């Protein structure tokens, strides 16, 4: 009886134990993912993420450095691996990493005055210095801001769909900074600021640079995040041997790697699964082969599929918020309730809002907003332009945190050769906010066969009226045809000297359209020389000063200043000369007793369009008339030559030499076909036609006595500017011309 009772009690106890065991929860593995830095080699992380998704592994925490931080943060914010592949591999990293901006971002002032220099060197403490990095990182920040806009209200990174942290380096102390809170795009910008490639950035009073300098594979940080399993993806390589240290990125990476690899062995050992794609054939800037690197990451991760599936089986499945691509439409508008700006010490609020084109904004599209950021960045006055959208009940408040460039003085250089001005070396000194806020002082000195200068002081008041002063000197020697009378002309060597000073006001209707009005003083000393009784005698064509007023309307939407492929160009000038000094002369050197006020009206219209991204059609129409009586040859319109740096009333015209055609009015059309067989190499054909006369309308017969000329040429768009050689001829005569120029026109 006792045995039966004992057996029953044992059975009951076993049943209770089994019941209790069945009620215990299944162990749910928490997985931490660590992604190392490595520049373009970080694309391998995307391939690994694809396999993790396929295996069904749930990621509970992500930590990364540099490229690993960027990819990890985007995955944490809700992007799938496939979406990261399509978005990130499609970006133009050449543009992102070099702060390249479209020409449309530049103001009219910049297009007129700044597109002629080979390079610019900052002057620090009265010494010429070098830039701190290739890029300021503005384009880099812009794309990070776009891609994370849907989580811009999350300031605690542990509250992202997947908790996240990243690592940066304190550039002043060398300490590691773990970034777990703040504004996500700023944290990523700091962690990914690869030395010499991207400028460091200030965050909470600390100057931060790439986290890879101190901890490129932060497994030790992940160990503190209460995860059960750590999967580490390491795209680093070992230190290079001497023979391979032959490029700047490799040398910098080697230096950065000295400390990096000291910590790497222990971090590798602390991973539960270590994935190391073999991408030794690639480097940190191999962005052009991103797809190949993604595939390598996927292949190496797929070898661990059985292990990953085993991890997934021990996890409770939970869904996360998924971002199906970038969450906004470029054309979508949002209401702006307020704009707050900080950090602008030397540039006024009106200046900043004027560049942003947000002076009187009620609502704006994302496209227009980012165009405004480009406009402000194109001024080169700001080291960083950080911004944040703060959502309100009735719209969005935009907060801008600006960091102005510490360097405000620059030395710039350009070189040029052409058939008229011959050899010239351009030295420029530029100083910003030297006297007042928003101002810029620029002095060009051209040394060479024909010394020239151009000095400009401009105060840019944004959407308010801006004002400035410009003074320039132009000089060259050339054989011109001088009209003795209506039927006789003589070719003679002429020395041309012109001093011009303008005081002006300017307003911009958009970044591409500006109106300038002001007063102008011109002084001419133009003469030929003859030998009389063994003495050189100057025969003046003009030794006179002129005082007048002018108005100028300019529109420039060309995508490039030289070899334009797309865009429209309009330049309308009106000048009236009201007073002159006593030394006035006519076209044959006879002094004129009385000066009669007269005006010049000139216009130029250009249009460029490109087919198949190879063949460009470029049309230019020009016209000029004289209003009133002008008996001075210096103010006649003079056509001929190839130059783009002509002054006053000189106009280029193929088939004729400089100033071969002259008159008080002209009408010209030029048609150019330009083909680009290889990148930046151009083959062109131009036909131009013109009437140069004193009676432009000619009683309705406006095509009578039309002159024509043609040119074929080859051009190269080089880092020093356009290099061109052209052969030009005209059926009107038996002469032909070779035109050759090197470098930016100035």
């Amino acid at each position: 009886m006792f045995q039966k009772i004992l057996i029953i009690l044992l059975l009951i106890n076993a049943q209770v134990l089994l019941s209790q065991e069945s009620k215990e929860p299944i162990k749910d593995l928490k997985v931490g993912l660590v992604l190392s830095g490595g520049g373009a080699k970080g694309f391998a992380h995307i391939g690994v993420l694809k396999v993790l998704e396929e295996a069904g592994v749930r990621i509970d925490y992500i930590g990364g450095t540099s490229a690993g931080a960027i990819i990890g943060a985007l995955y944490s914010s809700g992007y799938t691996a496939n979406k990261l592949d399509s978005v990130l591999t499609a970006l133009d990293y050449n543009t992102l990493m070099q702060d390249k901006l479209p020409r449309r971002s530049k103001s009219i002032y910049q297009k007129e005055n700044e597109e002629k220099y080979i390079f610019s060197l900052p002057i620090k403490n009265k010494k010429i210095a070098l830039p701190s990095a290739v890029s300021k990182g503005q384009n880099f920040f812009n794309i990070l801001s776009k891609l994370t806009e849907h989580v811009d209200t999350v300031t605690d990174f542990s509250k992202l769909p997947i908790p996240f942290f990243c690592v940066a380096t304190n550039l002043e102390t060398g300490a590691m900074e773990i970034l777990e809170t703040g504004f996500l795009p700023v944290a990523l910008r700091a962690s990914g600021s690869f030395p010499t490639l991207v400028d460091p950035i200030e965050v909470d009073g600390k100057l931060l640079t790439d986290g890879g300098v101190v901890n490129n594979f932060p497994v030790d940080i992940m160990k503190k995040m209460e995860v059960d399993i750590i999967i580490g993806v390491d795209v680093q390589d070992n230190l290079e041997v001497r023979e391979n240290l032959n490029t700047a990125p490799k040398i910098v990476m080697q230096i950065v790697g000295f400390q990096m690899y000291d910590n790497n062995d222990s971090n590798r050992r602390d991973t539960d699964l270590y994935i190391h794609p073999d991408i030794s054939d690639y480097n940190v800037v191999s962005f052009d082969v991103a797809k190949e690197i993604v595939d390598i990451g996927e292949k190496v991760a797929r070898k661990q599929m059985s292990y990953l599936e085993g991890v997934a089986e021990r996890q409770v499945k939970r869904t996360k918020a998924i971002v199906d691509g970038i969450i906004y439409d470029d054309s979508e508008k949002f209401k702006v309730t307020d704009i707050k700006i900080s950090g602008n010490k030397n540039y006024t609020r009106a200046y900043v809002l004027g560049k942003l084109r947000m002076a009187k904004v009620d609502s704006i599209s994302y496209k227009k907003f980012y165009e405004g950021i480009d406009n402000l960045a194109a001024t080169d006055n700001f080291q960083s332009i950080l911004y944040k959208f703060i959502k309100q009940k009735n719209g969005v408040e935009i907060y801008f945190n600006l960091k102005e460039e510490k360097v405000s003085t620059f030395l710039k250089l350009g070189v040029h050769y052409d058939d008229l001005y011959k050899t010239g070396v351009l030295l420029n000194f530029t100083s910003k906010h030297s006297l007042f806020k928003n101002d810029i002082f620029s002095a060009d000195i051209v040394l060479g066969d024909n010394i020239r200068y151009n000095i400009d002081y401009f105060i840019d008041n944004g959407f308010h009226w801006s004002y400035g002063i410009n003074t320039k000197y132009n000089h060259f020697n050339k054989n011109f045809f001088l009209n003795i009378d209506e039927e006789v002309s003589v070719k003679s060597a002429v020395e041309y000297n012109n001093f011009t000073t303008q005081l002006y006001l300017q307003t911009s209707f958009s970044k591409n359209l500006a109106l300038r009005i002001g007063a102008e003083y011109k002084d001419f000393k133009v003469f030929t020389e003859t030998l009389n009784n063994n003495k050189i005698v100057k025969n003046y064509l003009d030794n006179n000063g002129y005082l007048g007023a002018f108005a100028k309307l300019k529109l420039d939407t060309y995508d490039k200043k030289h070899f334009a492929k797309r865009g429209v160009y309009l330049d309308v000038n009106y000048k009236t000369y009201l007073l002159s000094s006593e030394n006035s002369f006519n076209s044959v050197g006879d002094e004129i007793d009385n000066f009669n006020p007269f005006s010049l009206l000139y216009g130029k219209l250009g249009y460029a369009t490109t087919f198949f991204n190879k063949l460009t059609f470029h049309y230019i129409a020009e016209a000029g008339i004289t209003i009133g009586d002008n008996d001075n040859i210096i103010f006649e319109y003079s056509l001929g030559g190839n130059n783009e740096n002509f002054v006053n009333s000189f106009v280029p015209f193929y088939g004729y030499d400089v100033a071969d055609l002259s008159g008080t009015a002209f009408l010209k059309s030029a048609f150019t076909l330009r083909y680009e067989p290889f990148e930046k190499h151009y083959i062109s054909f131009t036909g131009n036609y013109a009437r140069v006369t004193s009676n432009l309308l000619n009683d309705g017969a406006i095509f009578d006595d039309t002159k024509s000329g043609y040119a074929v040429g080859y051009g190269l768009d080089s880092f020093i500017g356009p290099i061109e050689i052209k052969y030009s001829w005209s059926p009107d005569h038996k002469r032909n011309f070779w035109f050759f120029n090197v470098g930016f026109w100035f």
Side-chain angles (χ1 to χ4, degrees):
M1 183 67 178
F2 174 77
Q3 290 179 340
K4 291 181 179 179
I5 294 173
L6 181 61
I7 292 171
I8 292 171
L9 290 174
L10 289 172
L11 289 172
I12 293 172
N13 186 53
Q15 186 175 1
V16 170
L17 290 173
L18 289 171
S19 175
Q20 289 177 344
E21 183 176 351
S22 65
K23 291 182 180 179
E24 286 185 0
I26 298 173
K27 177 67 173 176
D28 182 20
L29 293 180
K30 291 186 177 180
V31 175
L33 177 65
V34 179
L35 307 177
S36 80
K41 293 188 286 186
F43 282 112
H45 295 317
I46 298 175
V48 174
L49 286 170
K50 287 183 177 182
V51 177
L52 291 175
E53 285 184 355
E54 185 179 336
V57 175
R58 189 195 74 235
I59 306 299
D60 298 284
Y61 222 119
I62 298 180
T65 299
S66 195
I70 295 167
I71 292 172
L74 294 177
Y75 195 75
S76 291
S77 71
Y79 285 88
T80 65
N82 283 330
K83 185 55 66 174
L84 285 177
D85 189 3
S86 62
V87 171
L88 295 184
T89 58
L91 296 175
D92 182 357
Y93 288 92
N94 187 43
T95 298
L96 287 177
M97 301 308 296
Q98 296 187 44
D99 281 339
K100 287 187 176 181
L101 295 170
R103 187 171 182 264
R104 64 174 180 271
S105 301
K106 297 180 180 180
S107 67
I108 288 292
Y109 179 88
Q110 290 175 292
K111 292 173 181 177
E112 283 188 332
N113 294 278
E114 298 182 3
E115 296 182 320
K116 51 190 172 185
Y117 308 111
I118 300 174
F119 58 79
S120 174
L121 295 176
I123 299 177
K124 300 178 181 178
N125 300 320
K126 300 181 181 180
K127 296 180 180 179
I128 296 176
L130 294 175
S132 58
V134 173
S135 168
K136 294 179 182 179
Q138 188 60 52
N139 287 348
F140 182 27
F141 175 81
N142 288 348
I143 194 63
L144 292 174
S145 180
K146 288 181 181 180
L147 294 173
T148 60
E149 195 267 346
H150 59 292
V151 291
D152 63 0
T153 59
V154 178
T155 57
D156 181 350
F157 302 160
S158 67
K159 305 300 183 184
L160 289 167
I162 299 176
F164 169 79
F165 73 85
C166 63
V167 174
T169 303
N170 189 314
L171 194 57
E172 293 181 283
T173 66
M176 177 173 63
E177 301 287 345
I178 303 172
L179 305 178
E180 300 175 282
T181 60
F183 189 42
L184 186 58
V186 173
L188 300 180
R189 164 71 172 79
S191 184
S193 298
F194 189 86
T196 74
L197 289 183
V198 182
D199 277 343
I201 185 173
E202 185 175 325
V203 181
D204 297 331
K206 300 175 182 178
L207 189 62
L208 303 184
T209 191
D210 196 292
V213 175
V214 290
N215 195 344
N216 201 45
F217 193 37
V219 176
D220 52 334
I221 309 302
M222 182 59 76
K223 287 179 64 178
K224 303 174 183 179
M225 300 304 173
E226 298 182 352
V227 295
D228 302 305
I229 288 179
I230 297 178
I231 299 174
V233 186
D234 184 8
V235 297
Q236 306 169 97
D237 292 318
N238 294 322
L239 293 173
E240 293 281 0
V241 297
R242 179 188 304 179
E243 290 75 14
N244 294 336
L245 295 174
N246 49 18
T247 65
K250 286 186 177 181
I251 293 173
V252 173
M253 196 64 188
Q254 185 87 339
I255 295 171
V256 172
F258 293 155
Q259 180 175 347
M260 182 190 304
Y261 295 118
D262 286 343
N263 303 325
N264 205 36
D265 287 342
S266 61
N267 281 336
R268 288 174 183 171
R269 289 192 297 269
D270 286 339
T271 61
D272 295 282
L273 175 62
Y274 178 71
I275 300 176
H276 185 210
D278 181 10
I279 42 180
S280 56
D281 292 337
Y282 304 90
N283 58 51
V284 295
V285 292
S286 297
F287 297 106
D288 56 328
V289 288
K291 288 285 189 182
E292 294 179 16
I293 299 175
V294 171
D295 292 341
I296 292 173
E298 184 175 351
K299 288 177 182 177
V300 72
R302 198 167 292 283
K303 294 177 182 179
Q304 306 295 330
M305 181 62 81
S306 60
Y307 176 87
L308 295 174
E309 289 176 339
V311 170
E313 288 176 359
R314 299 173 63 188
Q315 289 184 304
V316 175
K317 303 308 173 190
R318 293 193 297 268
T319 59
K320 69 165 185 171
I322 300 298
V323 177
D324 188 20
I326 300 174
I327 54 84
Y328 65 85
D329 183 348
D330 267 359
S331 60
E332 179 185 345
K333 288 189 175 184
F334 56 92
K335 182 178 177 60
V336 179
T337 59
D338 193 14
I339 299 174
K340 294 183 178 180
I341 303 172
S342 67
N344 55 318
K345 298 178 181 179
N346 296 299
Y347 298 93
T348 63
R349 177 181 173 87
Y351 174 90
V352 174
L353 293 179
K355 297 302 177 184
L356 291 168
R357 313 308 300 177
M358 296 179 68
K360 298 178 181 179
V361 171
D362 178 54
S363 63
I364 188 172
S365 68
Y366 284 97
K367 180 180 179 180
K368 291 296 182 183
F369 173 80
Y370 285 108
E371 284 180 358
I373 296 297
D374 286 348
N375 298 343
L376 190 60
T379 65
D380 290 328
N381 294 329
F382 300 94
Q383 187 174 340
S384 64
I385 305 167
L386 305 181
Y387 48 87
K388 186 175 182 180
F389 299 141
I390 303 175
K391 294 180 173 61
Q392 306 291 338
K393 289 183 179 180
N394 57 339
V396 174
E397 180 180 286
I398 306 177
Y399 174 70
F400 288 96
N401 182 13
L402 308 178
K403 185 176 182 182
E404 295 180 357
E405 280 285 0
K406 294 181 180 179
V407 178
S408 59
T409 307
F410 302 87
L411 180 66
K412 304 179 183 182
L413 177 71
V415 295
H416 185 76
Y417 173 85
D418 65 63
D419 303 292
L420 177 62
Y421 289 96
K422 306 301 180 183
T423 302
V425 175
L426 173 62
L427 298 177
N428 171 269
F429 174 80
T430 295
S431 180
K432 299 181 178 182
H433 51 80
S434 53
L435 298 178
F436 302 100
K437 291 183 177 182
N438 310 342
D439 74 358
I440 179 170
F441 172 82
S442 176
D444 284 341
I445 306 295
V446 180
L447 304 176
D449 293 302
N450 291 278
I451 295 176
R452 292 165 280 155
Y453 68 74
N454 181 21
I455 300 174
D456 196 86
Y457 179 75
F458 182 61
I459 298 179
D460 189 343
N461 288 322
F463 56 84
H464 297 307
W465 278 93
S466 304
Y467 45 91
I469 180 172
N470 175 270
T471 181
K472 64 181 67 175
Y473 167 65
N474 198 288
H475 167 264
F476 59 82
N477 294 280
K478 183 67 177 176
N479 289 335
F480 290 151
F481 279 110
L482 303 179
N483 297 327
I484 302 301
D485 53 39
E486 293 184 357
E487 297 182 356
V488 179
S489 60
V490 176
K491 198 164 193 176
S492 181
V494 175
E495 182 161 331
Y496 187 96
N497 298 275
N498 172 226
F499 296 86
T500 300
T501 299
Q502 291 182 337
L503 295 171
Y504 60 87
L505 297 173
Q506 179 171 304
T507 185
S508 298
F509 304 103
S510 71
K511 59 183 177 294
N512 295 317
L513 178 64
L515 172 66
R516 178 178 291 188
I517 58 174
E520 177 181 85
Y521 176 76
K522 280 188 178 293
D523 185 87
F524 287 100
K525 287 180 173 57
V526 184
F527 56 86
T528 62
E529 292 181 337
T530 57
L531 190 64
N532 188 359
N533 295 326
N534 293 323
K535 292 183 179 180
I536 296 177
V537 178
K538 293 182 178 180
N539 303 302
Y540 281 96
L541 300 176
D542 200 335
N543 185 19
N544 189 28
Y546 298 86
L547 181 64
F550 73 94
K552 179 179 181 179
L553 180 67
K554 190 164 187 177
L555 169 70
D556 185 353
T557 68
Y558 281 160
D559 60 337
K560 297 191 295 181
K561 186 168 186 175
H562 306 288
F563 307 113
K565 286 189 171 184
R566 295 172 181 83
V568 177
Y569 182 92
L570 175 67
D571 186 5
V572 179
N573 276 278
Y574 175 78
K575 295 184 178 182
T576 181
Y577 296 99
L578 306 173
L579 299 172
S580 77
S581 59
E582 297 178 355
N583 302 317
S584 296
F585 302 85
N586 62 19
S587 61
V588 294
D590 296 329
E591 189 168 352
I592 302 171
D593 294 331
N594 296 313
F595 170 79
N596 295 314
F598 65 95
S599 301
L600 300 176
L601 178 61
Y602 164 83
K604 179 178 180 179
L605 174 65
Y607 172 74
T609 186
T610 297
F611 307 94
F612 316 112
N613 204 35
K614 289 287 186 180
L615 182 63
T616 299
F617 171 73
H618 197 173
Y619 172 70
I620 295 176
E622 294 178 80
I625 60 172
T626 302
I627 303 171
D629 295 327
N630 169 34
D631 296 322
N632 192 331
I633 190 175
I634 298 305
F635 287 100
E636 289 185 350
Y637 296 102
S638 301
L639 275 65
N642 175 58
N643 291 57
E644 293 185 24
N645 53 358
F646 277 142
V647 294
N648 299 322
S649 52
F650 287 88
V651 178
F653 189 74
Y654 291 115
Y656 289 80
D657 203 357
V658 176
D660 274 359
L661 303 172
S662 61
T664 57
F666 82 98
L667 182 65
K668 170 196 164 186
S669 289
F671 304 85
T672 297
L673 285 176
R674 189 165 51 244
Y675 180 68
E676 186 180 12
F678 311 105
E679 185 178 7
K680 297 185 177 181
H681 292 257
Y682 301 91
I683 299 171
S684 65
F685 172 79
T686 300
N688 54 194
Y689 311 89
R691 286 191 67 244
V692 185
T693 178
S694 59
N695 182 8
L696 194 60
L697 296 179
N698 196 27
D699 297 326
I702 61 174
F703 297 107
D704 284 359
D705 196 28
T706 296
K707 306 297 183 182
S708 62
Y710 304 90
V712 293
Y714 162 79
L716 171 64
D717 191 1
S718 74
F719 75 98
I720 64 172
I723 299 175
E724 294 180 284
I725 183 170
K726 293 184 178 181
Y727 174 73
S728 173
W729 74 96
S730 172
D732 305 332
H733 53 72
K734 296 182 179 180
R735 293 176 296 146
N736 52 64
F737 305 91
W738 285 95
F739 295 120
F740 182 65
N741 65 271
V742 176
F744 294 112
W745 293 92
F746 49 76

